[in-house]
Amino acid sequence: AQSVTQLGSHVSVSEGALVLLRCNYSSSVPPYLFWYVQYPNQGLQLLLKYTSAATLVKGINGFEAEFKKSETSFHLTKPSAHMSDAAEYFCAVSGSGTSYGKLTFGQGTILTVHP
Amino acid sequence: DTAVSQTPKYLVTQMGNDKSIKCEQNLGHDTMYWYKQDSKKFLKIMFSYNNKELIINETVPNRFSPKSPDKAHLNLHINSLELGDSAVYFCASSQGANYGYTFGSGTRLTVV
């Protein structure tokens, strides 16, 4: 079984400030981890993914995430927030075995960016 | 070209009706999925098909029936719609979950 917990359902930052969205996972097998972004009334877009290669993963729009096995975490960061980053962000985990083929999503974090 | 396309985008219908949502992908992926996003934005898998074969069938009322005529299409038929079925339904495709999904733009179903 696998699960994802996103700490903080809402995060608010000022434009230009650091963005940090937290994700912790639980998986009985080596995980594949993903961050998705959802803009209002749109589908989910893949930001980045960890697939057991480099632990620091760079994605689109200046986002990156670091896989820390000891902390079972995959936090998403961006050095400088932009107004266009305001959206909802979802962390997801994929495993193998009976869970193969299924992504399990966290409950989402709404990012608000203030001018 | 849209990679994963769903129709309709919006669907408003009365309780008790039967409705279908269509999904098509042009990415050549072998696996397609239906997810339900509830009013709190929680995403839960409903079904998954790989090369037209059902491989994931979560605990979903049997009023929901997926159909995959070929690996590029996965449709969702819902019988006897209930108020609780109101949600956004997302179709997605992938080469395998470990590669991540490509999502459609969603179908917002409102049952009145």
Side-chain angles (χ1 to χ4, degrees), chain B:
Chain B
D1 283 342
T2 303
V4 180
S5 59
Q6 295 179 229
T7 54
K9 189 170 177 64
Y10 299 96
L11 187 52
V12 181
T13 187
Q14 291 187 325
M15 280 174 48
N17 284 350
D18 303 338
K19 289 294 178 186
S20 292
I21 306 171
K22 295 186 175 182
C23 180
E24 176 181 4
Q25 56 97 1
N26 63 7
L27 297 167
H29 290 165
D30 289 336
T31 310
M32 296 184 72
Y33 309 83
W34 279 111
Y35 273 75
K36 179 180 180 180
Q37 186 174 47
D38 63 22
S39 58
K40 295 185 178 179
K41 297 294 189 73
F42 183 67
L43 281 152
K44 185 172 170 55
I45 192 167
M46 300 173 69
F47 303 103
S48 171
Y49 271 75
N50 182 269
N51 276 324
K52 302 192 297 177
E53 180 181 350
L54 181 66
I55 56 171
I56 293 175
N57 185 351
E58 294 287 295
T59 307
V60 176
N62 58 15
R63 298 181 294 102
F64 290 78
S65 54
K67 284 187 170 53
S68 181
D70 55 60
K71 75 172 192 177
H73 295 84
L74 179 61
N75 304 322
L76 183 65
H77 188 76
I78 315 169
N79 289 324
S80 303
L81 278 155
E82 301 178 356
L83 292 176
D85 298 331
S86 296
V88 181
Y89 293 84
F90 285 102
C91 178
S93 72
S94 76
Q95 297 169 275
N98 294 345
Y99 293 89
Y101 295 171
T102 301
F103 280 86
S105 57
T107 295
R108 183 174 296 275
L109 171 65
T110 304
V111 183
V112 297

Side-chain angles (χ1 to χ4, degrees), chain A residues 4 7 22 37-38 40 46 54 59 65 70-71 78 90-91 99 106 110:
Chain A
V4 171
L7 299 174
R22 300 178 187 273
V37 60
Q38 185 178 27
L46 181 64
S70 61
E71 298 178 8
K78 182 174 180 177
F90 293 90
C91 183
S99 296
I110 296 172

Side-chain angles (χ1 to χ4, degrees), chain A residues 20-92:
Chain A
L20 172 60
L21 304 182
R22 300 178 187 273
C23 172
N24 287 89
Y25 70 91
S26 172
S27 177
S28 57
V29 297
Y32 290 76
L33 294 157
F34 307 84
W35 275 100
Y36 283 85
V37 60
Q38 185 178 27
Y39 297 101
N41 298 315
Q42 294 187 27
L44 283 79
Q45 180 183 5
L46 181 64
L47 273 179
L48 49 81
K49 60 184 177 184
Y50 166 75
T51 57
S52 75
T55 56
L56 182 62
V57 181
K58 293 188 185 299
I60 62 172
N61 301 339
F63 284 93
E64 62 182 37
E66 186 172 9
F67 173 70
K68 292 186 176 180
K69 183 178 178 180
S70 61
E71 298 178 8
T72 61
S73 68
F74 190 58
H75 302 331
L76 182 71
T77 60
K78 182 174 180 177
S80 177
H82 193 272
M83 297 295 289
S84 61
D85 294 327
E88 187 152 13
Y89 292 78
F90 293 90
C91 183

